[in-house]
Amino acid sequence: MRKGIFGCLFSWARLAYSGAMHAAALPTDPTALDASALSAAIHARHVSCRELMQACLARVARLNPRYNALVSLRPEAELLAEADARDAELARGHSRGWLHGIPQAIKDLANAAGLPTTLGSPLMKDFIAREDGLMAARMKAAGCIVIGKSNTPEFGLGSHTFNELFGTTLNAYDPARSAGGSSGGAAVALALRLLPVADGSDFMGSLRNPAAWNNLFGLRPSQGRVPMWPAQDLWLSQLGTEGPMGRSVRDVARLLATQAGWSENAPLSIAASADQLSADAEFDAKSVRIGWLADLDGYLPLDAGILDACGQGLARLQALGCTVQPLRLGMAPERVWDAWLVWRRVLVAARIAPLLLKPAQRARIKPEALWEHEQAQACSAAQFMAASVTRSSFYQQMLRLLERHQVLALPTAQVWPFDAAERWPRQIAGRAMDTYHRWMEVVIYASFAGLPCISVPVGFNAQGLPMGMQLIGRPQGDAALLRLAAAYEQVIGDWLAVQPAVLRDGCTRTANL
C-alpha cells in the first residue's frame, strides 16, 4: 500500500464500511457485491476465488453477447486455473492485496500482457501487448485476475462506444441507447455486475459520461495522480488520465489508491500531496460550499430535465448540510473552448499520425479521427502557445472560484443517453452541434484545469434513463472530493438501488437498432 494521502484514503474506505460483510449477509450470487465487500468475503474465506470467477463468467456468458461490454475474453480454463492458484495462496496465508482473486478487465486503450490492445481499430486488431501497462501492473500486483478487455470507441474518440472491430456497447438501462464513452464497456460491465470494479481513462469525460449514463461513480483524478505508461509523449499529453469507476465510492477510492503514485517513467506524476486525510477524520458537510455553474448562464444547451435532475442531487447535498450557491464561470466559455480545441487537435493528431504513414490505412480510420488530424495540420507553434496561455489564465480563474467554494458543480452530460444507432447528437435543444464532440463541452472544464472531478448519480428521467452531476475539487484535492462523494452516497440509496431491467426481471428491453 502506498503511503500518504492514498494510504489514509484506503484505510478510511475500509473503516467506513467495517462490519458490512459477514457470512450471514452473503447473497447467493457473489456478483451482487461490490469489490470491497467481495474482498472481505474472499479474505474471510466465505467466497472462494473460483466461486467468484465462475459466477462472473456465467454472468458474462449470459449478458455480454447482448450488451457487448467486454472483448478479447481469455479462455475459461485459464481463468479458473488462476482463481484456483489464488485460493491456494490464501490457504497458505498469503494475500496479494485487496483485489486478490477479483476479476478485472482492462480498458482496450491500455496494455495487458498477452491480450490485444486494439484501440477499437481494425488496424490494431493483431497487436498483442508483450507487457502490462503501469495501471494494469499495479492492479495485478494488488491481486486482480484480468479476464479480458473492456470495449471503447475507435482510438477512444467520441463519448459513444462503438467501433468497426467489435461493434457497439449498449446502455445497461436501455439497450437501445448509447452507453457513453470512451469507458463505455467498463461502465456497462459494472452496471450489469460483469465486473465488481473497473478501470478506465478520461480525456473529455470518458470516465464521467459513461458513469452518469449507467448510474455509477466515475472519478477523473487530478492531473498526474495516476501516471500513464507506456506513453508516446511524457510532457504535453496531460489532458487524458487513467482512473477508477465503481458502484460505490469506497471501491473508487480503493482502486484509485492502487492506481496512483509516482513513477519514474512519468516525470510529471504526483510524488506526494500536502492534502493529508486522517483515517478517522469525520466529514463536516456544513463546511462545504458548492458553486453551482449550471449551464453557464445559458451558454451550454441541455436536454430538458437535466438541470432538474441535478437540482435533485444538489438538494440531497443541502440536506447533508452543504451550502449551494449559483456561480458564474467568470471567463468567456467560448475562449476556453477555442483553446481546448487547439490542445485536443494537436494531441489527438499525434496519436493518429503514425497510422497514416501508410496511405492505404487511411480508409480504415474513422472520419472523426481523420478530421482531428487534418485540423491540427494548420496549427502553428505560436497558436499552440497562445492556447496554452489561455489555458493558464483559465486555471487561475478556476483557482479564484475555488477560493470561495470547496467544490464546483456542473451536469455530467448535456443530453440523456441517445439512440445507439447514431454516431453523435447533431443538435441539443434546437442548437446545432458543429463538431462530433461539441455535445460534451460541459466536461472540458475539469480536464483543461487538471482538477479532480467525480460524476455522481442524480437519478432518472421519466424514461428510466440515468444522469450524473460533476463535482470538481481543488487542485490535488482528490481525497476531500471522495469524502464528499461518500457522504452523498449515503443519501441517494433510492437511486443506487435502481438496477438495470435485465437484472430485475431477467429480460432485456426491446431494442430497435
Side-chain angles (χ1 to χ4, degrees), residues 36-37 107 132 189 234 254 279 346 351 418 509:
S36 294
K107 184 175 177 180
D132 292 321
L234 300 177
R254 296 181 82 173
V346 169
R351 300 203 318 241
F418 56 85
R509 303 177 188 181

Side-chain angles (χ1 to χ4, degrees), residues 60-346:
V60 169
R62 182 168 71 89
L63 297 179
N64 197 57
R66 176 71 177 109
Y67 290 87
N68 197 35
L70 301 180
V71 298
S72 301
L73 290 164
R74 295 176 57 200
E76 180 177 344
E78 288 184 9
L79 295 172
L80 291 176
E82 283 196 32
D84 289 340
R86 295 291 196 278
D87 283 327
E89 289 174 339
L90 288 178
R92 297 193 299 269
H94 172 67
S95 169
R96 299 190 183 200
W98 81 281
L99 288 173
H100 189 99
I102 291 180
Q104 180 73 342
I106 308 301
K107 184 175 177 180
D108 201 18
L109 298 182
N111 288 346
L115 289 174
T117 303
T118 74
L119 313 180
S121 168
L123 298 176
M124 298 291 292
K125 65 182 179 64
D126 296 323
F127 176 78
I128 306 297
R130 295 183 178 180
E131 58 184 1
D132 292 321
L134 183 59
M135 180 178 64
R138 287 177 170 179
M139 291 187 294
K140 283 185 177 181
C144 80
I145 299 176
V146 173
I147 66 172
K149 307 296 285 287
S150 59
N151 202 20
T152 183
E154 186 175 334
F155 306 118
L157 300 179
S159 198
H160 177 25
T161 301
F162 71 95
N163 59 65
E164 181 182 324
L165 192 58
F166 296 116
T168 304
T169 297
L170 305 177
N171 191 288
Y173 284 83
D174 185 345
R177 307 278 181 153
S178 169
S182 60
S183 306
V188 174
L190 266 177
L192 295 179
R193 278 57 172 171
L194 310 184
L195 296 174
V197 70
D199 65 78
S201 56
D202 188 302
F203 191 107
M204 193 176 179
S206 292
L207 278 159
R208 292 164 282 164
N209 171 242
W213 283 3
N214 290 277
N215 202 34
L216 304 164
F217 297 93
L219 176 73
R220 176 190 169 90
S222 293
Q223 180 174 307
R225 178 70 69 196
V226 177
M228 189 180 298
W229 178 258
Q232 183 182 23
D233 165 66
L234 300 177
W235 305 103
L236 291 178
S237 297
Q238 292 290 305
L239 288 182
T241 178
E242 293 172 324
M245 189 187 297
R247 297 196 298 269
S248 66
V249 176
R250 59 174 168 170
D251 281 359
V252 170
R254 296 181 82 173
L255 189 58
L256 180 61
T258 300
Q259 297 170 335
W262 180 81
S263 169
E264 62 182 8
N265 290 316
L268 300 183
S269 57
I270 296 173
S273 173
D275 181 17
Q276 297 295 314
L277 174 66
S278 173
D280 57 357
E282 294 185 2
F283 177 74
D284 180 14
K286 294 181 180 179
S287 68
V288 177
R289 296 183 305 279
I290 299 173
W292 171 231
L293 293 167
D295 59 0
L296 304 184
D297 294 318
Y299 170 78
L300 295 170
L302 272 70
D303 272 353
I306 289 179
L307 288 180
D308 292 338
C310 291
Q312 294 179 133
L314 292 171
R316 302 284 179 104
L317 287 166
Q318 287 176 311
L320 281 172
C322 299
T323 299
V324 178
Q325 300 172 326
L327 188 65
R328 291 188 169 182
L329 186 62
M331 184 173 181
E334 298 93 340
R335 186 181 171 202
V336 180
W337 174 254
D338 289 342
W340 162 270
L341 281 181
V342 173
W343 270 83
R344 179 179 173 91
R345 288 166 180 167
V346 169

